[in-house]
Amino acid sequence: MQSNVFYRHIESPVGVLLIAGNDAGLRLIEFSAPRHPMRRGEDWHEGDHAVLRDTQKQLDEYFAGKRRGFDLPLAPQGTQFQCQVWWELANIPFGGTISYAELAVRVGKPTATRAVGAANGRNPIPIVLPCHRVIGANGSLTGFGGGLPTKRFLLRLEGAMPRELDLFAS
């Protein structure tokens, strides 16, 4: 039997986010115009849940520059391979970046860069599982479910924005 999933919308510096979770943990952080929106079932209900309160508090602290990591129960839903990629994202340190090729090596699939990139692009818990920290091998910012301006904002917030890519640096 599936347990209910609770969701709500929250304001953030990168726009309105939809957050969702249940007793198992946080299941979703979705940007306002997602590339791959998560399907909502009949078990999804707008409402309140402790994991949503904790998520909002920790995201607020992150955006205020007072939090560098998250301490939330996580329950992403995906294939075994996708989950392996998503959990590896948690090992990229705040303020750091890695390439898709490096991520592929880290999950033990060095020739699967495209598959790793596809899994990264379907990460249901961005920011907390920091897919924004994965960049092109040449240092370029590549696709991001929240859009490149959001990726740039998050990397800048963390001090990871490569200076040569920051057109507005002083």
Short mmCIF file of all heavy atoms in Angstrom, two decimals, residues 28 30 33-40 117-124 145:
data_model
loop_
_atom_site.label_atom_id
_atom_site.label_comp_id
_atom_site.label_asym_id
_atom_site.label_seq_id
_atom_site.Cartn_x
_atom_site.Cartn_y
_atom_site.Cartn_z
N LEU A 28 10.33 15.19 -3.95
CA LEU A 28 10.36 16.08 -5.11
C LEU A 28 10.63 17.51 -4.71
O LEU A 28 10.09 18.02 -3.73
CB LEU A 28 8.99 16.02 -5.82
CG LEU A 28 8.81 16.89 -7.06
CD1 LEU A 28 9.66 16.36 -8.22
CD2 LEU A 28 7.34 16.92 -7.47
N GLU A 30 10.48 20.64 -7.41
CA GLU A 30 10.24 20.88 -8.83
C GLU A 30 10.20 22.38 -9.11
O GLU A 30 9.51 23.11 -8.41
CB GLU A 30 8.93 20.21 -9.25
CG GLU A 30 8.71 20.16 -10.74
CD GLU A 30 7.51 19.29 -11.08
OE1 GLU A 30 6.37 19.81 -10.99
OE2 GLU A 30 7.71 18.11 -11.41
N ALA A 33 8.81 25.61 -14.15
CA ALA A 33 8.64 25.14 -15.54
C ALA A 33 9.56 23.94 -15.76
O ALA A 33 10.56 24.03 -16.46
CB ALA A 33 8.96 26.26 -16.52
N PRO A 34 9.23 22.79 -15.16
CA PRO A 34 10.14 21.64 -15.22
C PRO A 34 10.22 21.02 -16.60
O PRO A 34 9.25 20.98 -17.33
CB PRO A 34 9.52 20.66 -14.22
CG PRO A 34 8.06 20.99 -14.24
CD PRO A 34 8.00 22.49 -14.44
N ARG A 35 11.42 20.54 -16.94
CA ARG A 35 11.63 19.82 -18.19
C ARG A 35 10.92 18.46 -18.16
O ARG A 35 10.40 18.01 -19.16
CB ARG A 35 13.12 19.54 -18.35
CG ARG A 35 13.77 20.33 -19.39
CD ARG A 35 15.13 19.72 -19.63
NE ARG A 35 16.01 20.74 -20.12
CZ ARG A 35 17.30 20.66 -20.12
NH1 ARG A 35 17.89 19.60 -19.64
NH2 ARG A 35 18.03 21.62 -20.59
N HIS A 36 10.98 17.82 -17.01
CA HIS A 36 10.39 16.49 -16.84
C HIS A 36 9.50 16.51 -15.60
O HIS A 36 9.91 16.06 -14.53
CB HIS A 36 11.49 15.43 -16.67
CG HIS A 36 12.48 15.40 -17.77
ND1 HIS A 36 12.17 14.92 -19.03
CD2 HIS A 36 13.77 15.81 -17.83
CE1 HIS A 36 13.25 15.03 -19.80
NE2 HIS A 36 14.22 15.56 -19.10
N PRO A 37 8.29 17.05 -15.73
CA PRO A 37 7.42 17.11 -14.54
C PRO A 37 7.09 15.71 -14.02
O PRO A 37 6.93 14.78 -14.80
CB PRO A 37 6.16 17.82 -15.04
CG PRO A 37 6.21 17.76 -16.52
CD PRO A 37 7.63 17.55 -16.93
N MET A 38 7.04 15.61 -12.71
CA MET A 38 6.70 14.32 -12.10
C MET A 38 5.19 14.12 -12.16
O MET A 38 4.43 15.04 -11.89
CB MET A 38 7.18 14.25 -10.66
CG MET A 38 6.88 12.90 -10.01
SD MET A 38 7.53 12.77 -8.34
CE MET A 38 9.21 12.32 -8.69
N ARG A 39 4.82 12.92 -12.51
CA ARG A 39 3.41 12.57 -12.57
C ARG A 39 2.86 12.50 -11.15
O ARG A 39 3.46 11.90 -10.27
CB ARG A 39 3.26 11.24 -13.27
CG ARG A 39 1.89 10.93 -13.79
CD ARG A 39 1.91 9.61 -14.50
NE ARG A 39 2.38 8.60 -13.56
CZ ARG A 39 1.71 7.50 -13.27
NH1 ARG A 39 0.60 7.23 -13.89
NH2 ARG A 39 2.18 6.63 -12.40
N ARG A 40 1.71 13.10 -10.94
CA ARG A 40 1.06 13.07 -9.65
C ARG A 40 -0.07 12.04 -9.68
O ARG A 40 -0.90 12.07 -10.58
CB ARG A 40 0.44 14.43 -9.30
CG ARG A 40 1.44 15.45 -8.79
CD ARG A 40 2.01 16.18 -9.96
NE ARG A 40 2.64 17.44 -9.61
CZ ARG A 40 3.74 17.85 -10.17
NH1 ARG A 40 4.35 17.12 -11.07
NH2 ARG A 40 4.25 19.01 -9.85
N GLY A 117 24.20 11.54 -17.84
CA GLY A 117 23.63 12.87 -18.06
C GLY A 117 22.11 12.83 -18.07
O GLY A 117 21.45 13.71 -17.51
N ALA A 118 21.54 11.81 -18.70
CA ALA A 118 20.08 11.67 -18.74
C ALA A 118 19.53 11.45 -17.33
O ALA A 118 18.51 12.03 -16.96
CB ALA A 118 19.68 10.53 -19.67
N ALA A 119 20.19 10.60 -16.55
CA ALA A 119 19.74 10.36 -15.17
C ALA A 119 19.86 11.64 -14.35
O ALA A 119 18.95 11.99 -13.59
CB ALA A 119 20.56 9.24 -14.54
N ASN A 120 20.96 12.34 -14.52
CA ASN A 120 21.17 13.60 -13.82
C ASN A 120 20.04 14.59 -14.15
O ASN A 120 19.52 15.28 -13.27
CB ASN A 120 22.53 14.19 -14.20
CG ASN A 120 22.94 15.34 -13.33
OD1 ASN A 120 23.10 15.20 -12.14
ND2 ASN A 120 23.13 16.50 -13.95
N GLY A 121 19.64 14.62 -15.41
CA GLY A 121 18.59 15.53 -15.85
C GLY A 121 17.21 15.18 -15.31
O GLY A 121 16.30 16.00 -15.36
N ARG A 122 17.04 13.98 -14.81
CA ARG A 122 15.75 13.57 -14.24
C ARG A 122 15.78 13.53 -12.71
O ARG A 122 14.87 12.98 -12.08
CB ARG A 122 15.33 12.22 -14.80
CG ARG A 122 14.95 12.32 -16.26
CD ARG A 122 14.18 11.11 -16.72
NE ARG A 122 13.74 11.24 -18.08
CZ ARG A 122 12.55 11.74 -18.44
NH1 ARG A 122 11.72 12.16 -17.53
NH2 ARG A 122 12.22 11.80 -19.71
N ASN A 123 16.80 14.11 -12.12
CA ASN A 123 16.91 14.17 -10.67
C ASN A 123 15.66 14.84 -10.09
O ASN A 123 15.40 16.00 -10.37
CB ASN A 123 18.17 14.96 -10.29
CG ASN A 123 18.29 15.22 -8.81
OD1 ASN A 123 17.64 14.60 -7.99
ND2 ASN A 123 19.15 16.16 -8.47
N PRO A 124 14.89 14.12 -9.26
CA PRO A 124 13.66 14.71 -8.73
C PRO A 124 13.88 15.63 -7.52
O PRO A 124 12.93 16.28 -7.08
CB PRO A 124 12.83 13.48 -8.33
CG PRO A 124 13.87 12.46 -7.96
CD PRO A 124 15.03 12.71 -8.88
N GLY A 145 17.42 21.34 -15.40
CA GLY A 145 15.97 21.32 -15.32
C GLY A 145 15.34 22.64 -14.89
O GLY A 145 14.22 22.93 -15.26
#
